[in-house]
Amino acid sequence: AATKASQWSEKGNIQGIYFLPGLDADPVWGDLEIAGWKKGLNLRLEALFNLVKVLPEKTFIITATRMGGLFGLINPANPMGGVVSGFTKALAREHNEALIKTIDFEENVTPSIIASRLIEETLHDSAVSEVGWEDDLRYTVAVMEQENERETHPLDVSSIFLISGGTAGVVA
């Protein structure tokens, strides 16, 4: 896909992409071996990454997943879609001048509804980068400023603390 997109991009023909591998059902988790996991990541994340690298900067990018309509927060399904939505949201933060959105659907929604909602999301509400559809209701994420009531813990030369895990890069 990235090779074709690169060729089309050189001709100036690509205004946007709809990346849909996130709609595919996950493999059966109990039977999943490392090769299956890598294949799932290649189809979902690596393919999207390679495609994005060859697209013009202001190309719109719409990705879709089937994690339940609420990004796996309630009634989660197909968690491998999380690599697609996570990458898309990070990309949207880096390229705020382009329309970049991820849209999550329920598992049983029909292809025609998915298609119409993808078009709707392309045409409207460019301010959001994450949309979920559940029971014909549209959900977005909003950030609210709140007062931080947590206590801070200043560190000085006499402080003692434990570091656990993930330190290979820190101490190597």
Side-chain angles (χ1 to χ4, degrees):
T3 304
K4 275 282 193 218
S6 180
Q7 292 168 353
W8 291 336
S9 184
E10 288 172 9
K11 296 177 185 176
N13 294 336
I14 299 178
Q15 284 79 45
I17 64 163
Y18 294 93
F19 187 80
L20 306 181
L23 294 171
D24 295 340
D26 282 2
V28 177
W29 286 97
D31 301 335
L32 190 62
E33 306 250 337
I34 191 72
W37 172 252
K38 286 181 179 180
K39 180 180 178 186
L41 287 179
N42 287 342
L43 292 172
R44 289 166 181 84
L45 180 60
E46 199 168 318
L48 179 56
F49 175 74
N50 289 330
L51 192 54
V52 165
K53 287 192 309 185
V54 300
L55 294 173
E57 260 190 59
K58 293 196 179 182
T59 303
F60 75 78
I61 300 167
I62 306 290
T63 64
T65 60
R66 266 191 226 257
M67 295 189 294
L70 297 172
F71 293 99
L73 296 173
I74 300 172
N75 301 320
N78 302 312
M80 274 190 140
V83 299
V84 173
S85 64
F87 181 80
T88 305
K89 291 185 292 183
L91 192 65
R93 289 183 63 112
E94 290 180 12
H95 300 278
N96 59 2
E97 72 286 350
L99 173 65
I100 301 175
K101 276 187 188 183
T102 185
I103 298 119
D104 186 42
F105 296 97
E106 297 170 285
E107 281 187 284
N108 59 354
V109 70
T110 65
S112 62
I113 290 174
I114 289 173
S116 67
R117 291 204 171 131
L118 290 174
I119 298 298
E120 285 176 36
E121 292 295 340
T122 305
L123 299 174
H124 305 289
D125 202 3
S126 62
V128 299
S129 60
E130 182 176 18
V131 176
W133 282 93
E134 183 188 53
D135 292 329
D136 288 327
L137 296 174
R138 182 180 188 264
Y139 295 88
T140 62
V141 176
V143 178
M144 293 175 28
E145 189 171 336
Q146 288 187 296
E147 192 67 35
N148 181 10
E149 297 177 11
R150 293 183 191 161
E151 183 181 330
T152 60
H153 295 278
L155 300 175
D156 60 35
V157 294
S158 65
S159 298
I160 299 173
F161 49 90
L162 172 69
I163 299 174
S164 175
T167 59
V170 174
V171 295

